[in-house]
Amino acid sequence: MPGTHILILGGTAEARQLAAELTGRGGLRVTTSLAGRVAQPRMPAGEVRIGGFGGPEGLADWLRQHRVHAVVDATHPFASVISANAAQAAAAVGIPLCALRRPGWSAGPGDHWHSAVSLVDAAAQLPALGRRVFLTTGRLGLAAFACLDQLHFLVRSVEPPEPPLPRHIRVLLDRGPFTLEGERELLRTHDIDVLVTKDSGGPATAAKLTAARELGMPVVVVRRPSAPPGVPLAPDVAGVLELLGQLGQLGQLGQLGQLGQVG
Ligand code: NAP
């Protein structure tokens, strides 16, 4: 088995890009971990393990057992529990951790964005903004909207949501990337007058924001949870390679010293 073992905490497009970039490099063993929420996940290159670790202690045990040299947290910006667990586990084991955090979206001219600190806050703002809601915050956390009996919801998620759910709800099972034409069509067909989104960032799900802007539609944007303090962040795969390369040059990761120079 090759010497340096990297664990990628995945579940995002960038995690798959990173796995593809690292897998097959001489001397590297690359494992991606998926939470197991999606029945048919898009599989990354390299080794894959699926399911929770059992909290930070379980993750620390796994890191020791599998002789992991470095962890890259490439989970979704809203997956805050696993990110905190990774910080705790990597510190306990004494191995480096860095995180890939794609930049958030920012409002431009013509946007009517309303910032929310949580799904509950987003739900509280909705009655003043519209009656027909396109809810794209994922299948979890819909309980926050369940009490809004007067509003009609179009919910888009990869897997079916579970109760409690709003009384008037239509579910669209789909996963990105989504096109501008498709998003325009969706907003028109369902007569949507307000959009709710997490500030996920990235291009795959940004078209809905453009479509909403074109229609002058209000958008409630749920702010990101903060990343664990002290973890080096990179905005993309190239940035992670650079961080890993720096660790290599510091002698902490052997053959990873050249990574930052490869694109
Ligand atoms: P979370 O709330 O941060 O994590 C909850 C628990 O799920 C963790 O304590 C961990 O269980 C397990 N877990 C999460 N990510 C894992 C991973 N990559 N490998 C192994 N176990 C993992 O996570 P979440 O928000 O439910 O997201 C779950 C997964 O979906 C993440 O991998 C994330 O990248 C992806 N995702 C999330 C969102 C979102 O909006 N939250 C959107 C797109 C994709 P244990 O404590 O037992 O280890």
Side-chain angles (χ1 to χ4, degrees):
M1 193 56 68
T4 301
H5 188 187
I6 297 184
L7 175 67
I8 301 172
L9 298 170
T12 59
E14 291 90 338
R16 286 192 299 279
Q17 287 160 16
L18 181 64
E21 190 66 48
L22 291 175
T23 300
R25 290 177 187 241
L28 273 192
R29 178 181 171 197
V30 180
T31 304
T32 298
S33 174
L34 302 176
R37 302 270 197 284
V38 177
Q40 290 183 312
R42 292 175 177 147
M43 292 304 269
E47 296 175 44
V48 178
R49 66 156 306 281
I50 298 180
F53 295 94
E57 296 81 11
L59 176 53
D61 287 345
W62 198 96
L63 296 174
R64 285 192 199 97
Q65 273 167 21
H66 294 84
R67 298 178 189 283
V68 173
H69 294 85
V71 181
V72 180
D73 171 12
T75 57
H76 190 271
F78 279 80
S80 56
V81 178
I82 188 71
S83 294
N85 290 356
Q88 203 177 319
V93 177
I95 58 173
L97 164 72
C98 63
L100 195 167
R101 282 287 174 278
R102 64 176 87 129
W105 293 313
S106 37
D111 282 324
H112 303 282
W113 287 14
H114 301 258
S115 179
V117 293
S118 63
L119 293 177
V120 171
D121 184 22
Q125 296 189 39
L126 275 179
L129 295 173
R131 292 187 49 77
R132 300 188 60 85
V133 185
F134 184 26
L135 191 53
T136 64
T137 50
R139 79 190 160 105
L140 301 175
L142 294 190
F145 302 89
C147 58
L148 296 173
D149 289 345
Q150 277 79 45
L151 307 188
H152 290 253
F153 289 87
L154 175 66
V155 169
R156 182 167 65 193
S157 58
V158 179
E159 300 282 327
E162 283 160 24
L165 299 171
R167 178 188 289 178
H168 306 292
I169 182 171
R170 189 161 179 173
V171 177
L172 198 60
L173 297 181
D174 204 353
R175 79 173 142 197
F178 302 105
T179 65
L180 180 55
E181 294 71 28
E183 299 294 56
R184 267 191 206 125
E185 181 66 22
L186 204 63
L187 296 182
R188 285 208 193 100
T189 308
H190 294 273
D191 211 11
I192 299 297
D193 55 16
V194 57
L195 166 69
V196 184
T197 179
K198 290 174 175 171
D199 180 15
S200 298
T205 56
K208 61 191 172 190
L209 299 170
T210 310
R213 182 187 313 134
E214 287 176 358
L215 294 168
M217 186 181 294
V219 181
V220 181
V221 181
V222 182
R223 274 193 238 143
R224 294 174 169 205
S226 42
V231 177
L233 298 179
D236 51 23
V237 168
V240 171
L241 296 179
E242 219 163 278
L243 287 174
L244 291 174
Q246 285 164 12
L247 290 169
Q249 279 155 8
L250 290 174
Q252 291 183 37
L253 282 180
Q255 61 271 58
L256 290 183
Q258 302 305 311
L259 275 179
Q261 292 147 31
V262 187

